[in-house]
Amino acid sequence: MAKKPNPRIKLTVSLTLISVILGLMLSMQYKNTRAAAQFQVDEARVYDPRAQYTADQLNKVKESNSQFEAELESLKKKMFELEEKAGDLAKPESPDLKEELSKYRVMSGILPLKGEGITFTIDDSTVKDVPKGFPPDFLIVHDSDLMNITNELLIAGAEAVQINDQRISSTTGIICIGPVIKINGQKINRPYEFRAVGNRDRLEAALTMKNGILDILRYRTITIQPPKKSLSVTINGYSGDFNGLGK
Amino acid sequence: MKLNSKISLVLVAALLGWMMTVQFTSINRPKLESSPAGDTLQLTTELKQETERQQFLRSQIREIEQKIADLQSQKGNQSQLVRTLAEELERVKNQAGMSEVKGSGIIVTIEDDFDLIAVKNPEELDMNRRSLGDYLYRVVNYLKGNEAKAIVVNNHRIVSFSSVRTIDSNNLQVNTVMVSPDKIIIKAVGNVEQMKVGMSIFPPSFAEMGKKFTVQEVGDGSLVIPPYDDDSVQYEYAHPEGEKKL
């Protein structure tokens, strides 16, 4: 005759199994619910019809602007070449015209330039938790940082400076509007790549000196790709309207 | 334990599980208030700016196409070519900051305020004054970012390579020339209203240095900005692409 199983043990095993299954079901349900909620939030953000329509429009205009910019650059190149030839033809009557035009074009920032100099990049901090005693905005690159670096480069004798694709001209402002940094009225995105033409040793020394501008940024945990010296740094031509000057 | 009791227990556990699930679902339902209206506003602002940029680019393209046509049609006429190039030279000199500019604008005066100085801690004041150059450069930047066409700081015209530097709390350099920090006068021609808005953030910062920051409007077009005072600028390192050197 088979021995009857102990009902107490049977009950304990059953209850344990039920509890484990219930726990598993609950945790899976919780995870699924959270994922679904997050998905719905993301969906709402991406598929808001008004935002989506405006974003599509913006992308179209940006795309055409890139094409217009390329066309403008090529037209400018053609015009500069024609002016060169015209300057040669005008030499008997006005010998300095060609050189003067070139010199002031360089000064104004209209001409794309090349020469020895440095390039480097800065970006927001990658530190996730704000260190104790740090204001949170220490970890972000501000307009004032870009301004101070530009000023430092110019003090060190930079002849031309560019941040991302924006050339610094006589009317270039680097200002924050809300959370956005604008240069020449154009929104620029991080990371911020600096290009400067000038004496490369002097430019590098001005930035890397002890307690200098880059040390201050490093203290704030700002991400820095240190200056690279180069014999050939290319700088864009300024393509703004000089705030309406010289129209 | 009887069978009935076991069934009841399972039913209670299942009910409990179902109730908790309903609870979690309701807690994590996304709030619909977090609509992307802010994103839409930002996108709309950016779209407006890009559209304005497009208008500017189109007008630039038309302008340069006209110049190219003029230069091509004047090939055989030397005097006409000289006139065309001379006009272009004047325009470029103006944009480089090498010509006088006259128009409406603002005059910003930054000078010692002895009432403020009297109540400040001398050490703190001296420390704050070491930032004068940085703040002055910021003022110049905010003028440019708010549609200033031409700026001069204590008679030193701001150009593409201008810099501002604090040597110590009593010495300041603009365009590498020493200027007195006791009274700084900045003149700017451009969009008066816009520039005034840009300047509104600065008085408290300069007050920390014991300085009064005042803005005066010149709306009758009579404000004169002198040209950059050194016409012998030589570029040692930068040269146009395709050229060896200037």
Side-chain angles (χ1 to χ4, degrees), chain B residues 207-241:
Chain B
E208 290 299 312
M209 300 174 213
K211 291 186 180 287
K212 190 165 55 183
F213 184 97
T214 52
V215 178
Q216 180 199 337
E217 190 177 322
V218 181
D220 61 357
S222 64
L223 190 61
V224 174
I225 308 291
Y228 185 74
D229 51 9
D230 182 8
D231 200 12
S232 62
V233 178
Q234 288 299 322
Y235 281 81
E236 198 180 336
Y237 301 93
H239 53 85
E241 279 197 287

PDB file of all heavy atoms in Angstrom, chain B residues 207-241:
ATOM      1  N   ALA B 207      27.711  96.844 -11.464  1.00  0.00           N
ATOM      2  CA  ALA B 207      27.548  97.384 -10.104  1.00  0.00           C
ATOM      3  C   ALA B 207      28.451  96.625  -9.132  1.00  0.00           C
ATOM      4  O   ALA B 207      28.999  97.200  -8.190  1.00  0.00           O
ATOM      5  CB  ALA B 207      26.087  97.283  -9.680  1.00  0.00           C
ATOM      6  N   GLU B 208      28.622  95.315  -9.371  1.00  0.00           N
ATOM      7  CA  GLU B 208      29.516  94.494  -8.540  1.00  0.00           C
ATOM      8  C   GLU B 208      30.958  94.984  -8.618  1.00  0.00           C
ATOM      9  O   GLU B 208      31.779  94.698  -7.767  1.00  0.00           O
ATOM     10  CB  GLU B 208      29.457  93.016  -8.977  1.00  0.00           C
ATOM     11  CG  GLU B 208      28.146  92.315  -8.661  1.00  0.00           C
ATOM     12  CD  GLU B 208      27.846  92.291  -7.164  1.00  0.00           C
ATOM     13  OE1 GLU B 208      28.751  91.939  -6.402  1.00  0.00           O
ATOM     14  OE2 GLU B 208      26.726  92.671  -6.782  1.00  0.00           O
ATOM     15  N   MET B 209      31.287  95.717  -9.705  1.00  0.00           N
ATOM     16  CA  MET B 209      32.645  96.261  -9.868  1.00  0.00           C
ATOM     17  C   MET B 209      32.694  97.721  -9.423  1.00  0.00           C
ATOM     18  O   MET B 209      33.675  98.417  -9.689  1.00  0.00           O
ATOM     19  CB  MET B 209      33.066  96.171 -11.339  1.00  0.00           C
ATOM     20  CG  MET B 209      33.074  94.765 -11.891  1.00  0.00           C
ATOM     21  SD  MET B 209      33.424  94.813 -13.672  1.00  0.00           S
ATOM     22  CE  MET B 209      32.457  93.429 -14.233  1.00  0.00           C
ATOM     23  N   GLY B 210      31.577  98.208  -8.831  1.00  0.00           N
ATOM     24  CA  GLY B 210      31.527  99.602  -8.389  1.00  0.00           C
ATOM     25  C   GLY B 210      31.388 100.559  -9.560  1.00  0.00           C
ATOM     26  O   GLY B 210      31.858 101.692  -9.513  1.00  0.00           O
ATOM     27  N   LYS B 211      30.741 100.079 -10.630  1.00  0.00           N
ATOM     28  CA  LYS B 211      30.614 100.917 -11.819  1.00  0.00           C
ATOM     29  C   LYS B 211      29.149 101.112 -12.215  1.00  0.00           C
ATOM     30  O   LYS B 211      28.335 100.205 -12.099  1.00  0.00           O
ATOM     31  CB  LYS B 211      31.386 100.300 -12.991  1.00  0.00           C
ATOM     32  CG  LYS B 211      32.897 100.362 -12.763  1.00  0.00           C
ATOM     33  CD  LYS B 211      33.706  99.899 -13.949  1.00  0.00           C
ATOM     34  CE  LYS B 211      35.196  99.978 -13.655  1.00  0.00           C
ATOM     35  NZ  LYS B 211      35.732 101.335 -13.636  1.00  0.00           N
ATOM     36  N   LYS B 212      28.883 102.338 -12.695  1.00  0.00           N
ATOM     37  CA  LYS B 212      27.545 102.683 -13.157  1.00  0.00           C
ATOM     38  C   LYS B 212      27.487 102.390 -14.656  1.00  0.00           C
ATOM     39  O   LYS B 212      28.410 102.753 -15.398  1.00  0.00           O
ATOM     40  CB  LYS B 212      27.312 104.170 -12.874  1.00  0.00           C
ATOM     41  CG  LYS B 212      25.886 104.643 -13.069  1.00  0.00           C
ATOM     42  CD  LYS B 212      25.671 106.012 -12.412  1.00  0.00           C
ATOM     43  CE  LYS B 212      26.688 107.032 -12.935  1.00  0.00           C
ATOM     44  NZ  LYS B 212      26.578 108.339 -12.304  1.00  0.00           N
ATOM     45  N   PHE B 213      26.404 101.766 -15.098  1.00  0.00           N
ATOM     46  CA  PHE B 213      26.261 101.363 -16.508  1.00  0.00           C
ATOM     47  C   PHE B 213      25.039 102.092 -17.066  1.00  0.00           C
ATOM     48  O   PHE B 213      23.912 101.794 -16.689  1.00  0.00           O
ATOM     49  CB  PHE B 213      26.063  99.845 -16.572  1.00  0.00           C
ATOM     50  CG  PHE B 213      26.004  99.260 -17.952  1.00  0.00           C
ATOM     51  CD1 PHE B 213      27.132  98.687 -18.534  1.00  0.00           C
ATOM     52  CD2 PHE B 213      24.809  99.246 -18.684  1.00  0.00           C
ATOM     53  CE1 PHE B 213      27.072  98.125 -19.807  1.00  0.00           C
ATOM     54  CE2 PHE B 213      24.746  98.678 -19.945  1.00  0.00           C
ATOM     55  CZ  PHE B 213      25.875  98.121 -20.511  1.00  0.00           C
ATOM     56  N   THR B 214      25.269 103.079 -17.931  1.00  0.00           N
ATOM     57  CA  THR B 214      24.129 103.839 -18.457  1.00  0.00           C
ATOM     58  C   THR B 214      24.082 103.747 -19.978  1.00  0.00           C
ATOM     59  O   THR B 214      25.113 103.649 -20.641  1.00  0.00           O
ATOM     60  CB  THR B 214      24.199 105.333 -18.054  1.00  0.00           C
ATOM     61  OG1 THR B 214      25.481 105.835 -18.426  1.00  0.00           O
ATOM     62  CG2 THR B 214      23.986 105.532 -16.577  1.00  0.00           C
ATOM     63  N   VAL B 215      22.861 103.791 -20.496  1.00  0.00           N
ATOM     64  CA  VAL B 215      22.649 103.710 -21.949  1.00  0.00           C
ATOM     65  C   VAL B 215      21.908 104.954 -22.411  1.00  0.00           C
ATOM     66  O   VAL B 215      20.852 105.296 -21.884  1.00  0.00           O
ATOM     67  CB  VAL B 215      21.824 102.445 -22.315  1.00  0.00           C
ATOM     68  CG1 VAL B 215      21.558 102.381 -23.819  1.00  0.00           C
ATOM     69  CG2 VAL B 215      22.541 101.178 -21.854  1.00  0.00           C
ATOM     70  N   GLN B 216      22.498 105.624 -23.395  1.00  0.00           N
ATOM     71  CA  GLN B 216      21.861 106.826 -23.946  1.00  0.00           C
ATOM     72  C   GLN B 216      21.540 106.568 -25.416  1.00  0.00           C
ATOM     73  O   GLN B 216      22.353 106.035 -26.167  1.00  0.00           O
ATOM     74  CB  GLN B 216      22.859 107.996 -23.810  1.00  0.00           C
ATOM     75  CG  GLN B 216      22.356 109.311 -24.334  1.00  0.00           C
ATOM     76  CD  GLN B 216      23.516 110.279 -24.587  1.00  0.00           C
ATOM     77  OE1 GLN B 216      24.603 110.137 -24.004  1.00  0.00           O
ATOM     78  NE2 GLN B 216      23.314 111.235 -25.484  1.00  0.00           N
ATOM     79  N   GLU B 217      20.343 106.952 -25.804  1.00  0.00           N
ATOM     80  CA  GLU B 217      19.889 106.698 -27.177  1.00  0.00           C
ATOM     81  C   GLU B 217      20.210 107.903 -28.076  1.00  0.00           C
ATOM     82  O   GLU B 217      20.018 109.048 -27.671  1.00  0.00           O
ATOM     83  CB  GLU B 217      18.372 106.483 -27.118  1.00  0.00           C
ATOM     84  CG  GLU B 217      17.785 105.971 -28.398  1.00  0.00           C
ATOM     85  CD  GLU B 217      16.286 105.719 -28.251  1.00  0.00           C
ATOM     86  OE1 GLU B 217      15.857 105.246 -27.169  1.00  0.00           O
ATOM     87  OE2 GLU B 217      15.568 106.009 -29.208  1.00  0.00           O
ATOM     88  N   VAL B 218      20.686 107.640 -29.284  1.00  0.00           N
ATOM     89  CA  VAL B 218      20.892 108.706 -30.274  1.00  0.00           C
ATOM     90  C   VAL B 218      20.063 108.309 -31.499  1.00  0.00           C
ATOM     91  O   VAL B 218      20.474 107.493 -32.321  1.00  0.00           O
ATOM     92  CB  VAL B 218      22.385 108.862 -30.657  1.00  0.00           C
ATOM     93  CG1 VAL B 218      22.569 109.992 -31.669  1.00  0.00           C
ATOM     94  CG2 VAL B 218      23.241 109.098 -29.424  1.00  0.00           C
ATOM     95  N   GLY B 219      18.869 108.893 -31.578  1.00  0.00           N
ATOM     96  CA  GLY B 219      17.929 108.436 -32.600  1.00  0.00           C
ATOM     97  C   GLY B 219      17.865 109.267 -33.861  1.00  0.00           C
ATOM     98  O   GLY B 219      17.102 108.974 -34.765  1.00  0.00           O
ATOM     99  N   ASP B 220      18.680 110.331 -33.921  1.00  0.00           N
ATOM    100  CA  ASP B 220      18.545 111.236 -35.080  1.00  0.00           C
ATOM    101  C   ASP B 220      19.569 110.971 -36.184  1.00  0.00           C
ATOM    102  O   ASP B 220      19.756 111.797 -37.079  1.00  0.00           O
ATOM    103  CB  ASP B 220      18.655 112.694 -34.604  1.00  0.00           C
ATOM    104  CG  ASP B 220      20.001 112.981 -33.948  1.00  0.00           C
ATOM    105  OD1 ASP B 220      20.807 112.026 -33.815  1.00  0.00           O
ATOM    106  OD2 ASP B 220      20.256 114.137 -33.574  1.00  0.00           O
ATOM    107  N   GLY B 221      20.255 109.834 -36.116  1.00  0.00           N
ATOM    108  CA  GLY B 221      21.198 109.486 -37.192  1.00  0.00           C
ATOM    109  C   GLY B 221      22.519 110.237 -37.130  1.00  0.00           C
ATOM    110  O   GLY B 221      23.287 110.245 -38.091  1.00  0.00           O
ATOM    111  N   SER B 222      22.805 110.873 -35.970  1.00  0.00           N
ATOM    112  CA  SER B 222      24.008 111.712 -35.912  1.00  0.00           C
ATOM    113  C   SER B 222      25.207 111.045 -35.224  1.00  0.00           C
ATOM    114  O   SER B 222      26.257 111.657 -35.068  1.00  0.00           O
ATOM    115  CB  SER B 222      23.670 113.011 -35.164  1.00  0.00           C
ATOM    116  OG  SER B 222      23.335 112.686 -33.827  1.00  0.00           O
ATOM    117  N   LEU B 223      25.044 109.801 -34.791  1.00  0.00           N
ATOM    118  CA  LEU B 223      26.152 109.133 -34.072  1.00  0.00           C
ATOM    119  C   LEU B 223      27.234 108.707 -35.063  1.00  0.00           C
ATOM    120  O   LEU B 223      26.953 108.047 -36.065  1.00  0.00           O
ATOM    121  CB  LEU B 223      25.610 107.919 -33.308  1.00  0.00           C
ATOM    122  CG  LEU B 223      26.562 107.238 -32.323  1.00  0.00           C
ATOM    123  CD1 LEU B 223      27.012 108.184 -31.222  1.00  0.00           C
ATOM    124  CD2 LEU B 223      25.901 106.016 -31.697  1.00  0.00           C
ATOM    125  N   VAL B 224      28.470 109.108 -34.771  1.00  0.00           N
ATOM    126  CA  VAL B 224      29.579 108.828 -35.695  1.00  0.00           C
ATOM    127  C   VAL B 224      30.515 107.778 -35.083  1.00  0.00           C
ATOM    128  O   VAL B 224      30.946 107.915 -33.942  1.00  0.00           O
ATOM    129  CB  VAL B 224      30.371 110.122 -36.006  1.00  0.00           C
ATOM    130  CG1 VAL B 224      31.607 109.818 -36.856  1.00  0.00           C
ATOM    131  CG2 VAL B 224      29.484 111.123 -36.722  1.00  0.00           C
ATOM    132  N   ILE B 225      30.809 106.758 -35.861  1.00  0.00           N
ATOM    133  CA  ILE B 225      31.759 105.722 -35.438  1.00  0.00           C
ATOM    134  C   ILE B 225      32.997 105.856 -36.325  1.00  0.00           C
ATOM    135  O   ILE B 225      32.914 105.679 -37.549  1.00  0.00           O
ATOM    136  CB  ILE B 225      31.169 104.295 -35.603  1.00  0.00           C
ATOM    137  CG1 ILE B 225      29.791 104.167 -34.927  1.00  0.00           C
ATOM    138  CG2 ILE B 225      32.144 103.236 -35.097  1.00  0.00           C
ATOM    139  CD1 ILE B 225      29.776 104.218 -33.431  1.00  0.00           C
ATOM    140  N   PRO B 226      34.151 106.193 -35.716  1.00  0.00           N
ATOM    141  CA  PRO B 226      35.356 106.372 -36.545  1.00  0.00           C
ATOM    142  C   PRO B 226      35.879 105.041 -37.101  1.00  0.00           C
ATOM    143  O   PRO B 226      35.551 103.985 -36.560  1.00  0.00           O
ATOM    144  CB  PRO B 226      36.362 106.986 -35.565  1.00  0.00           C
ATOM    145  CG  PRO B 226      35.912 106.530 -34.223  1.00  0.00           C
ATOM    146  CD  PRO B 226      34.413 106.386 -34.297  1.00  0.00           C
ATOM    147  N   PRO B 227      36.706 105.101 -38.157  1.00  0.00           N
ATOM    148  CA  PRO B 227      37.258 103.849 -38.699  1.00  0.00           C
ATOM    149  C   PRO B 227      38.349 103.281 -37.796  1.00  0.00           C
ATOM    150  O   PRO B 227      38.834 103.961 -36.893  1.00  0.00           O
ATOM    151  CB  PRO B 227      37.843 104.285 -40.046  1.00  0.00           C
ATOM    152  CG  PRO B 227      38.142 105.729 -39.877  1.00  0.00           C
ATOM    153  CD  PRO B 227      37.131 106.274 -38.908  1.00  0.00           C
ATOM    154  N   TYR B 228      38.722 102.037 -38.040  1.00  0.00           N
ATOM    155  CA  TYR B 228      39.869 101.426 -37.364  1.00  0.00           C
ATOM    156  C   TYR B 228      41.091 102.285 -37.683  1.00  0.00           C
ATOM    157  O   TYR B 228      41.273 102.721 -38.828  1.00  0.00           O
ATOM    158  CB  TYR B 228      40.064  99.987 -37.877  1.00  0.00           C
ATOM    159  CG  TYR B 228      41.153  99.214 -37.176  1.00  0.00           C
ATOM    160  CD1 TYR B 228      40.974  98.740 -35.899  1.00  0.00           C
ATOM    161  CD2 TYR B 228      42.356  98.950 -37.827  1.00  0.00           C
ATOM    162  CE1 TYR B 228      41.973  98.015 -35.258  1.00  0.00           C
ATOM    163  CE2 TYR B 228      43.366  98.233 -37.185  1.00  0.00           C
ATOM    164  CZ  TYR B 228      43.172  97.774 -35.906  1.00  0.00           C
ATOM    165  OH  TYR B 228      44.162  97.061 -35.275  1.00  0.00           O
ATOM    166  N   ASP B 229      41.921 102.566 -36.673  1.00  0.00           N
ATOM    167  CA  ASP B 229      42.927 103.630 -36.851  1.00  0.00           C
ATOM    168  C   ASP B 229      44.278 103.161 -37.404  1.00  0.00           C
ATOM    169  O   ASP B 229      45.224 103.932 -37.424  1.00  0.00           O
ATOM    170  CB  ASP B 229      43.135 104.373 -35.523  1.00  0.00           C
ATOM    171  CG  ASP B 229      43.410 103.409 -34.381  1.00  0.00           C
ATOM    172  OD1 ASP B 229      43.596 102.205 -34.673  1.00  0.00           O
ATOM    173  OD2 ASP B 229      43.413 103.839 -33.215  1.00  0.00           O
ATOM    174  N   ASP B 230      44.382 101.907 -37.819  1.00  0.00           N
ATOM    175  CA  ASP B 230      45.677 101.463 -38.350  1.00  0.00           C
ATOM    176  C   ASP B 230      45.457 100.792 -39.697  1.00  0.00           C
ATOM    177  O   ASP B 230      45.015  99.648 -39.777  1.00  0.00           O
ATOM    178  CB  ASP B 230      46.327 100.483 -37.358  1.00  0.00           C
ATOM    179  CG  ASP B 230      47.701 100.025 -37.851  1.00  0.00           C
ATOM    180  OD1 ASP B 230      48.188 100.577 -38.856  1.00  0.00           O
ATOM    181  OD2 ASP B 230      48.265  99.097 -37.243  1.00  0.00           O
ATOM    182  N   ASP B 231      45.763 101.545 -40.748  1.00  0.00           N
ATOM    183  CA  ASP B 231      45.519 101.043 -42.099  1.00  0.00           C
ATOM    184  C   ASP B 231      46.670 100.160 -42.590  1.00  0.00           C
ATOM    185  O   ASP B 231      46.651  99.672 -43.712  1.00  0.00           O
ATOM    186  CB  ASP B 231      45.296 102.224 -43.052  1.00  0.00           C
ATOM    187  CG  ASP B 231      44.575 101.781 -44.314  1.00  0.00           C
ATOM    188  OD1 ASP B 231      44.063 100.648 -44.337  1.00  0.00           O
ATOM    189  OD2 ASP B 231      44.540 102.560 -45.281  1.00  0.00           O
ATOM    190  N   SER B 232      47.686  99.994 -41.731  1.00  0.00           N
ATOM    191  CA  SER B 232      48.860  99.240 -42.194  1.00  0.00           C
ATOM    192  C   SER B 232      48.826  97.787 -41.716  1.00  0.00           C
ATOM    193  O   SER B 232      49.863  97.143 -41.590  1.00  0.00           O
ATOM    194  CB  SER B 232      50.130  99.922 -41.674  1.00  0.00           C
ATOM    195  OG  SER B 232      50.114  99.889 -40.260  1.00  0.00           O
ATOM    196  N   VAL B 233      47.627  97.288 -41.421  1.00  0.00           N
ATOM    197  CA  VAL B 233      47.488  95.911 -40.925  1.00  0.00           C
ATOM    198  C   VAL B 233      48.073  94.938 -41.942  1.00  0.00           C
ATOM    199  O   VAL B 233      47.795  95.023 -43.132  1.00  0.00           O
ATOM    200  CB  VAL B 233      45.992  95.561 -40.715  1.00  0.00           C
ATOM    201  CG1 VAL B 233      45.846  94.130 -40.241  1.00  0.00           C
ATOM    202  CG2 VAL B 233      45.360  96.519 -39.737  1.00  0.00           C
ATOM    203  N   GLN B 234      48.928  94.059 -41.455  1.00  0.00           N
ATOM    204  CA  GLN B 234      49.505  93.037 -42.335  1.00  0.00           C
ATOM    205  C   GLN B 234      49.146  91.662 -41.813  1.00  0.00           C
ATOM    206  O   GLN B 234      49.253  91.405 -40.615  1.00  0.00           O
ATOM    207  CB  GLN B 234      51.047  93.174 -42.372  1.00  0.00           C
ATOM    208  CG  GLN B 234      51.551  94.386 -43.150  1.00  0.00           C
ATOM    209  CD  GLN B 234      51.145  94.372 -44.623  1.00  0.00           C
ATOM    210  OE1 GLN B 234      51.134  93.335 -45.263  1.00  0.00           O
ATOM    211  NE2 GLN B 234      50.776  95.545 -45.142  1.00  0.00           N
ATOM    212  N   TYR B 235      48.694  90.812 -42.696  1.00  0.00           N
ATOM    213  CA  TYR B 235      48.401  89.429 -42.303  1.00  0.00           C
ATOM    214  C   TYR B 235      49.635  88.595 -42.565  1.00  0.00           C
ATOM    215  O   TYR B 235      50.107  88.504 -43.691  1.00  0.00           O
ATOM    216  CB  TYR B 235      47.198  88.892 -43.082  1.00  0.00           C
ATOM    217  CG  TYR B 235      45.892  89.383 -42.526  1.00  0.00           C
ATOM    218  CD1 TYR B 235      45.406  90.646 -42.830  1.00  0.00           C
ATOM    219  CD2 TYR B 235      45.148  88.587 -41.668  1.00  0.00           C
ATOM    220  CE1 TYR B 235      44.222  91.111 -42.291  1.00  0.00           C
ATOM    221  CE2 TYR B 235      43.957  89.036 -41.124  1.00  0.00           C
ATOM    222  CZ  TYR B 235      43.496  90.300 -41.450  1.00  0.00           C
ATOM    223  OH  TYR B 235      42.326  90.740 -40.912  1.00  0.00           O
ATOM    224  N   GLU B 236      50.159  88.000 -41.496  1.00  0.00           N
ATOM    225  CA  GLU B 236      51.403  87.250 -41.616  1.00  0.00           C
ATOM    226  C   GLU B 236      51.133  85.768 -41.920  1.00  0.00           C
ATOM    227  O   GLU B 236      51.903  85.116 -42.592  1.00  0.00           O
ATOM    228  CB  GLU B 236      52.156  87.383 -40.285  1.00  0.00           C
ATOM    229  CG  GLU B 236      53.618  87.031 -40.374  1.00  0.00           C
ATOM    230  CD  GLU B 236      54.300  87.178 -39.018  1.00  0.00           C
ATOM    231  OE1 GLU B 236      53.807  87.956 -38.164  1.00  0.00           O
ATOM    232  OE2 GLU B 236      55.322  86.500 -38.829  1.00  0.00           O
ATOM    233  N   TYR B 237      50.020  85.257 -41.414  1.00  0.00           N
ATOM    234  CA  TYR B 237      49.770  83.807 -41.499  1.00  0.00           C
ATOM    235  C   TYR B 237      48.588  83.447 -42.407  1.00  0.00           C
ATOM    236  O   TYR B 237      48.601  82.401 -43.037  1.00  0.00           O
ATOM    237  CB  TYR B 237      49.522  83.231 -40.093  1.00  0.00           C
ATOM    238  CG  TYR B 237      50.682  83.458 -39.162  1.00  0.00           C
ATOM    239  CD1 TYR B 237      50.732  84.566 -38.325  1.00  0.00           C
ATOM    240  CD2 TYR B 237      51.756  82.570 -39.155  1.00  0.00           C
ATOM    241  CE1 TYR B 237      51.809  84.788 -37.486  1.00  0.00           C
ATOM    242  CE2 TYR B 237      52.845  82.785 -38.316  1.00  0.00           C
ATOM    243  CZ  TYR B 237      52.862  83.901 -37.483  1.00  0.00           C
ATOM    244  OH  TYR B 237      53.926  84.112 -36.658  1.00  0.00           O
ATOM    245  N   ALA B 238      47.562  84.290 -42.407  1.00  0.00           N
ATOM    246  CA  ALA B 238      46.350  83.966 -43.171  1.00  0.00           C
ATOM    247  C   ALA B 238      46.480  84.456 -44.598  1.00  0.00           C
ATOM    248  O   ALA B 238      46.926  85.582 -44.839  1.00  0.00           O
ATOM    249  CB  ALA B 238      45.141  84.627 -42.512  1.00  0.00           C
ATOM    250  N   HIS B 239      46.118  83.613 -45.533  1.00  0.00           N
ATOM    251  CA  HIS B 239      46.073  84.063 -46.927  1.00  0.00           C
ATOM    252  C   HIS B 239      44.900  83.404 -47.640  1.00  0.00           C
ATOM    253  O   HIS B 239      44.495  82.293 -47.275  1.00  0.00           O
ATOM    254  CB  HIS B 239      47.399  83.787 -47.640  1.00  0.00           C
ATOM    255  CG  HIS B 239      47.857  82.362 -47.542  1.00  0.00           C
ATOM    256  ND1 HIS B 239      47.424  81.390 -48.403  1.00  0.00           N
ATOM    257  CD2 HIS B 239      48.678  81.745 -46.646  1.00  0.00           C
ATOM    258  CE1 HIS B 239      47.979  80.239 -48.055  1.00  0.00           C
ATOM    259  NE2 HIS B 239      48.734  80.419 -46.992  1.00  0.00           N
ATOM    260  N   PRO B 240      44.343  84.117 -48.630  1.00  0.00           N
ATOM    261  CA  PRO B 240      43.193  83.533 -49.335  1.00  0.00           C
ATOM    262  C   PRO B 240      43.565  82.189 -49.938  1.00  0.00           C
ATOM    263  O   PRO B 240      44.706  81.992 -50.376  1.00  0.00           O
ATOM    264  CB  PRO B 240      42.890  84.554 -50.437  1.00  0.00           C
ATOM    265  CG  PRO B 240      43.484  85.823 -49.952  1.00  0.00           C
ATOM    266  CD  PRO B 240      44.685  85.442 -49.161  1.00  0.00           C
ATOM    267  N   GLU B 241      42.617  81.267 -49.944  1.00  0.00           N
ATOM    268  CA  GLU B 241      42.865  79.941 -50.514  1.00  0.00           C
ATOM    269  C   GLU B 241      43.302  80.089 -51.963  1.00  0.00           C
ATOM    270  O   GLU B 241      42.742  80.883 -52.715  1.00  0.00           O
ATOM    271  CB  GLU B 241      41.589  79.101 -50.441  1.00  0.00           C
ATOM    272  CG  GLU B 241      41.387  78.496 -49.074  1.00  0.00           C
ATOM    273  CD  GLU B 241      40.399  77.362 -49.099  1.00  0.00           C
ATOM    274  OE1 GLU B 241      39.209  77.668 -49.246  1.00  0.00           O
ATOM    275  OE2 GLU B 241      40.816  76.206 -48.977  1.00  0.00           O
TER     276      GLU B 241
END
